Amino acid sequence: MATDLKCTFCGANDLEQGFLPNSVDVASHRQAHWVEGPVEHALFGGIKLRRRRRLPIAAFRCRKCSHLEFFADPEPDDE
């Protein structure tokens, strides 16, 4: 992921990379993902993810105004 990004809120060139943890439970954390298509609920209340493209989310915070920018990493994550 390129780090020469501009803040879309204030225009600053000083974005700091980070990520969004997705807590499965108190002992397990994973990186959040973008999933293609609309939400489809499974039989027991979960969300259907099979056979859907998933991309890890890269998060950037503007050091000037603290605005957050999110990008789906173009390389699929085969989790």
Side-chain angles (χ1 to χ4, degrees):
M1 176 72 50
T3 56
D4 58 341
L5 304 169
K6 275 190 174 180
C7 176
T8 59
F9 190 73
C10 75
N13 289 327
D14 194 12
L15 296 180
E16 170 182 33
Q17 186 169 1
F19 68 97
L20 298 173
N22 185 13
S23 297
V24 177
D25 59 46
V26 293
S28 178
H29 298 286
R30 295 177 184 224
Q31 185 176 4
H33 286 75
W34 171 87
V35 179
E36 79 176 331
V39 173
E40 291 182 45
H41 294 282
L43 182 62
F44 296 106
I47 296 174
K48 293 181 182 181
L49 296 176
R50 257 198 198 139
R51 293 187 277 281
R52 290 182 171 209
R53 187 169 49 137
R54 290 182 279 180
L55 303 174
I57 296 172
F60 292 83
R61 184 185 72 85
C62 178
R63 292 179 198 255
K64 182 178 177 185
C65 72
S66 295
H67 178 72
L68 296 176
E69 300 276 347
F70 301 102
F71 299 91
D73 192 330
E75 294 299 317
D77 188 22
D78 296 327
E79 241 183 55

